[in-house]
Each structure stands twice: as structure tokens, then as C-alpha cells.
Amino acid sequence: MAAGLLWLPAAAQVTTQAPLGPVGVNASPAAQRAAGVAVELQGDEPLAQYLILRFMEGHPDLAWRIRGREAYARGDYERARECFERAARFADKPSQAMLGEMHWEGLGGPRDRALGYAWMDLAAERYYEDFYLLRERYWSQLGAQEREQALRRGQPLLRKYGDDKAKRRLARVLARERPDQLAIGGFFGNLPIIPPSGAGRDSITLRGSEYFDDTFWEPDAYFAWQDTIWKTLLTTGRVEVGDPARAGPAAAD
């Protein structure tokens, strides 16, 4: 099942076509640190590279999930766990689900079914059907003692990685890293923020005119967009950005 989770609405499936290295003096230190990420670009425009780096810098949930998927694909499960945990801190439900599956199967460490359930329970917090069904399947396979352990061990995970704190954690990053529209200059092309995964079902490309939309930088709108992605994938298997939704500023902590 873990392999199947890798195609689920992923943010930025990694390819090896265009490594994103230093992109000039305007790149921030954090963007330079993110230069290990590789995505498939439409051409080799330095501005497009810079904008994708800036997007990932402002969306650590997506950036760390990319790294986790890369590590998982090459069989480095210990590193994959580390990356998925970093993404999980920023309310990334697919990464939390991957941690549940990896603990359940014993990938990257000892097999721990109780902890696997606890992570999957957290991933199902928004009742995304895929994760909810996996959570119920896990529960049905646990013994009485394992169930008790799973419930007990899930509490600290909820306190640290649950939406109540994790969403606010990501909201602060979005507010801090949202780029000024001057950064885009005259770029009007397409940015493959979420290129297709191996299953080819979760491709999302932003036009330059959509890059600064509230959908991707205002917390409430961003999480609503994620919810829409899951509902759309369940019914059609593909995502179209369409007209971005808009929301007001996020409430203070």
C-alpha cells in the first residue's frame, strides 16, 4: 500500500530533468538551501527556476514531501521518514499517511503497528477518504493491547502534528515567505509546481498570473484548495486549477 500512496495528491513529484541550483543574486539563503530539489521545467528559464524555488521555500509541506518521495523511491527509507516527519509538522496529510504506512510495514525502522495506526489516524483528521479507509483497515487488524497502545501514543502526535498547531505553523511560513509581485517580472509562462507523478493523475501547472493568488498563500484558501484536490481526485482522478478561490487574511494565533 505504501507504494500506492506515493501518487496521491503529491506536491511536486520530483524528476531529474532540471536540478534547481543557485539561480542568481536574488535567491534567498533558504532558496539556495532548497537547491537540491529537482523538478521538470518547461524550458530552462532562470526566472521560472527562481519562482519555483520561492514557491517551495514558502510551502515546506510540499518541499519536504518531495524529498521524502525521492528518498522512498531510491529505497532510503530512514531518510524518507525524516523528510515526511518534517512535512508532517506543516499539516501535510499525505506525509503523515506515509509515516503511518512505513511504521506499519517496518520500512526505515522496526515494524510498529500501533504507531502506524496513530500516524494514519492523524492523517485521517480531515476525513480524506483514502486515509480514513486505511485507518479503519489498520484498526480492524490490531489486537486489544495494540489498540490501547495506539490510542495512548496518538495523543502526543496529535499535540505536535495535529491541524490545530500544524496549520498555524504553516500559516506563519506562508505569511513570511509570500513573494512580492515584482519578483515575477514579466513572466507569463507556465510553472509546473506539481508535475505529474508516476501515475500521471495529479499534475498541476500554474500560470504566471496565478502564482500570487490567495489560493496558494492565504492559509484558509490554501487548505480549502487542498480539500478540493482530494475531492476532485476521488471523483475524476485529475486536478484542474480553474479559478482560484480567495479568502481574507488568516486569523492571528
Side-chain angles (χ1 to χ4, degrees), residues 206-207 209-211 213-216 221 225 241-247:
L206 300 183
R207 294 184 293 272
S209 60
E210 297 168 329
Y211 184 84
D213 197 89
D214 287 351
T215 300
F216 312 109
W225 175 65
V241 174
D243 295 328
R246 296 182 181 275

Side-chain angles (χ1 to χ4, degrees), residues 10-228:
Q13 170 70 32
V14 176
T15 72
T16 57
Q17 178 174 334
L20 300 184
V23 292
V25 295
N26 290 327
S28 68
Q32 295 291 346
R33 290 194 298 271
V37 177
V39 299
E40 183 178 354
L41 296 176
Q42 297 178 345
D44 190 28
E45 306 89 343
L47 180 56
Q49 295 182 355
Y50 170 67
L51 290 172
I52 293 175
L53 279 176
R54 286 295 302 272
F55 192 92
M56 291 304 167
E57 184 180 347
H59 297 79
D61 55 326
L62 310 187
W64 284 110
R65 197 193 324 161
I66 293 172
R67 291 170 172 81
R69 288 170 61 153
E70 270 196 322
Y72 189 98
R74 65 175 181 264
D76 188 352
Y77 300 126
E78 186 175 350
R79 171 63 175 166
R81 278 195 188 188
E82 178 186 340
C83 294
F84 288 136
E85 283 192 26
R86 287 176 179 264
R89 292 187 69 251
F90 297 98
D92 190 63
K93 293 306 180 187
S95 291
Q96 293 172 3
M98 283 301 301
L99 287 166
E101 187 72 6
M102 293 181 77
H103 283 286
W104 185 270
E105 298 293 342
L107 297 175
R111 188 179 189 190
D112 190 332
R113 301 202 318 169
L115 187 56
Y117 172 85
W119 273 111
M120 194 62 71
D121 183 45
L122 188 61
E125 186 177 11
R126 297 176 207 160
Y127 293 97
Y128 294 155
E129 184 175 349
D130 302 86
F131 305 151
Y132 179 84
L133 292 176
L134 282 172
R135 184 191 73 174
E136 296 305 295
R137 183 185 304 173
Y138 286 4
W139 185 256
S140 70
Q141 296 178 29
L142 293 176
Q145 186 174 0
E146 287 178 312
R147 288 182 176 184
E148 182 181 349
Q149 293 177 3
L151 295 176
R152 184 179 70 252
R153 297 167 73 183
Q155 291 305 306
L157 289 184
L158 180 63
R159 288 192 293 269
K160 183 175 182 179
Y161 299 99
D163 276 351
D164 183 55
K165 286 190 176 179
K167 280 187 171 182
R168 285 183 288 168
R169 194 177 288 131
L170 180 59
R172 289 192 289 269
V173 178
L174 291 172
R176 184 179 69 240
E177 302 296 341
R178 184 171 189 168
D180 188 279
Q181 294 199 23
L182 292 176
I184 201 168
F187 185 83
F188 297 102
N190 292 328
L191 295 172
I193 300 297
I194 309 182
S197 71
R201 299 178 63 187
D202 58 345
S203 176
I204 295 180
T205 298
L206 300 183
R207 294 184 293 272
S209 60
E210 297 168 329
Y211 184 84
F212 296 96
D213 197 89
D214 287 351
T215 300
F216 312 109
W217 298 99
E218 291 291 350
D220 288 344
Y222 180 61
F223 288 113
W225 175 65
Q226 290 185 349
D227 292 343
T228 299

